[in-house]
Amino acid sequence: MPTTSITYSYAGQISGAGIPSNGDVKTIQDFNAALGLCNGGTQSPVIFDADGSLLRALGLSPLIIGFSGTCKLDYQAGHIVSALVFLNGEFQDGVNDPTTSNYELTADQFDEAITHEMGHFSGLGHSQINLDLFKSGFAGNCPVDELAGLPIMFPVEFCQSRKSAGLPILAPDDVAWISKLCPHATFASNYGTISGFVFFSDGITHVQGLNVIARQVDDPSTPQDESKRVAVSVVSGFEFTGNPGQAITGDNTGGSQYGSRNPALIGYYEIPVTSGTYTVQTENVDSSFVGGSSVGPLDPPAITYGAYEYWHQYESAFDNPAQKDALTVQAGQKLSNINFILNQTPPRFDQFEDGEVRLESPPTPFLLRDPRELWPLVRLS
Ligand SMILES: [Ca+2]
Ligand SMILES: [Ca+2]
Ligand SMILES: [Ca+2]
Ligand SMILES: [Ca+2]
Ligand SMILES: [Zn+2]
């Protein structure tokens, strides 16, 4: 991808205390040693579990194609020092036997799984675009316009491979976000930004955890539907922590190690797009995307009343959710304050309160976020 500067290189086999001399990580002890090297920041292991036995020994479901995550972070520089990828080779052992939970993927689908895990390895989270494909039960026969816009970073693998449909392995959302995270000098001359805030009906209080999607307006002169193909998303409050912590229960004082504590970011969103004309819309993150499949900072996702609407120029708490205005973005341009006001959400205060003594419910205080994300396989035919 010309707009990103990220590259990968083979640094040799995994080696160090506790690792077999041939570098082959096969047992739980080997795995723990490799994880230790990763956490120490000295190596970024890529583990191919050829027969799936290590995955099972770790107590993980054989339906998991792979998992990955960052190990050591440099908080000062804001960089990833080391990360780990684990791939379940049982999906490529030539055996398809559901009675032993040994499934099979095509080589192209497995390539996509590797790419998805490399996305996490590189700092990307999950993206939710064209969710209706997933909800309507397509399995291996997804319509191509919607498949084109379905990110490789979608939490679940369920369509035919992108390659088999004549599509590049990365969707526009994947390209946009890896380029934003690790931009090449050409990023600024190829991408603009749509940004703003999502508010509850009071027009003041920020909403974190809503999925915001920018879709290119369909070009009637082409047979493809660009509104399904060219879409980039983000979750509101993506830079704000999903768990600010609290000192009451005694077990969550500092909260998550991830995310900003600046309240001005709670409802903020930012979407990198190539130059063109776009609509912007909000929706809930699907309630099934929890744990290793979570999307954005909140796990479980917030299910917000009145979450579904398009942006239009005169946003209010009483507008028609389907009314939309298109935005034209040039490369290098940033559109700001493309703000949503959700319709008729419950009031923030009751009549006995004012803004000085507000009570906010603690966000999932017992939840510990596992930095390693799992990518389960579902409904693959
Ligand atoms: Ca298999
Ligand atoms: Ca078209
Ligand atoms: Ca609206
Ligand atoms: Ca509205
Ligand atoms: Zn994932």
Side-chain angles (χ1 to χ4, degrees):
M1 289 303 142
T3 50
T4 178
S5 61
I6 197 166
T7 59
Y8 305 89
S9 61
Y10 178 57
Q13 67 178 37
I14 303 166
S15 66
I19 304 288
S21 58
N22 66 0
D24 194 3
V25 172
K26 279 186 148 163
T27 67
I28 290 181
Q29 289 73 22
D30 300 345
F31 178 80
N32 285 339
L35 188 57
L37 293 166
C38 193
N39 287 335
T42 56
Q43 290 177 44
S44 291
V46 177
I47 299 167
F48 181 76
D49 181 18
D51 60 3
S53 61
L54 176 54
L55 183 102
R56 289 175 192 243
L58 290 168
L60 297 174
S61 162
L63 294 181
I64 291 168
I65 310 167
F67 62 87
S68 56
T70 53
C71 295
K72 187 174 182 183
L73 304 174
D74 182 339
Y75 291 94
Q76 233 69 65
H79 288 160
I80 299 165
V81 178
S82 58
L84 179 145
V85 171
F86 185 106
L87 296 162
N88 180 3
E90 202 173 21
F91 283 95
Q92 292 287 278
D93 66 354
V95 180
N96 194 6
D97 182 3
T99 64
T100 57
S101 299
N102 182 340
Y103 298 93
E104 204 65 6
L105 291 173
T106 67
D108 290 338
Q109 287 172 317
F110 199 75
D111 281 353
E112 290 189 353
I114 296 173
T115 309
H116 177 105
E117 301 307 340
M118 290 304 290
H120 290 317
F121 182 93
S122 310
L124 292 179
H126 288 137
S127 283
Q128 176 180 295
I129 293 173
N130 296 347
L131 177 69
D132 55 312
L133 268 184
F134 178 62
K135 301 304 279 182
S136 55
F138 284 103
N141 60 343
C142 298
V144 175
D145 276 343
E146 291 206 78
L147 178 61
L150 184 73
I152 209 86
M153 296 314 293
F154 195 85
V156 178
E157 166 90 346
F158 62 99
C159 287
Q160 71 274 36
S161 73
R162 297 174 57 84
K163 194 176 173 186
S164 70
L167 297 166
I169 194 162
L170 299 182
D173 177 80
D174 303 307
V175 178
W177 276 103
I178 194 65
S179 301
K180 184 171 169 62
L181 276 189
C182 306
H184 182 267
T186 55
F187 178 69
S189 54
N190 281 274
Y191 281 87
T193 303
I194 299 171
S195 69
F197 298 88
V198 183
F199 296 117
F200 287 107
S201 291
D202 63 8
I204 299 169
T205 310
H206 289 211
V207 183
Q208 188 186 24
L210 270 206
N211 198 43
V212 189
I213 304 175
R215 292 183 181 276
Q216 204 166 88
V217 173
D218 179 39
D219 174 354
S221 70
T222 67
Q224 297 85 13
D225 185 345
E226 285 78 8
S227 73
K228 294 186 169 114
R229 286 185 170 242
V230 184
V232 185
S233 70
V234 73
V235 175
S236 67
F238 66 110
E239 293 171 313
F240 191 78
T241 187
N243 176 2
Q246 43 75 30
I248 308 300
T249 59
D251 58 359
N252 187 36
T253 304
S256 169
Q257 61 178 318
Y258 299 115
S260 171
R261 266 57 177 179
N262 177 0
L265 294 173
I266 291 175
Y268 180 67
Y269 78 90
E270 199 172 287
I271 302 175
V273 290
T274 52
S275 58
T277 302
Y278 293 85
T279 59
V280 196
Q281 67 195 107
T282 55
E283 65 182 14
N284 277 324
V285 170
D286 190 67
S287 59
S288 71
F289 295 155
V290 297
S293 298
S294 63
V295 179
L298 300 183
D299 178 18
I303 304 303
T304 302
Y305 180 83
Y308 297 84
E309 71 168 280
Y310 284 94
W311 177 85
H312 76 297
Q313 210 179 343
Y314 303 103
E315 268 302 316
S316 77
F318 304 95
D319 52 23
N320 173 358
Q323 190 177 349
K324 53 192 172 188
D325 284 324
L327 293 159
T328 298
V329 192
Q330 311 291 341
Q333 182 187 22
K334 179 172 184 178
L335 302 185
S336 300
N337 286 311
I338 306 304
N339 299 339
F340 290 84
I341 301 172
L342 298 187
N343 291 354
Q344 300 177 55
T345 59
R348 177 172 167 180
F349 306 116
D350 66 25
Q351 72 267 35
F352 304 112
E353 291 171 283
D354 61 32
E356 300 302 309
V357 282
R358 64 177 196 243
L359 184 71
E360 293 183 26
S361 56
T364 59
F366 300 108
L367 194 100
L368 284 172
R369 232 182 120 86
D370 185 337
R372 263 162 287 285
E373 306 202 336
L374 309 179
W375 194 26
L377 174 94
V378 299
R379 286 194 277 174
L380 192 95
S381 61

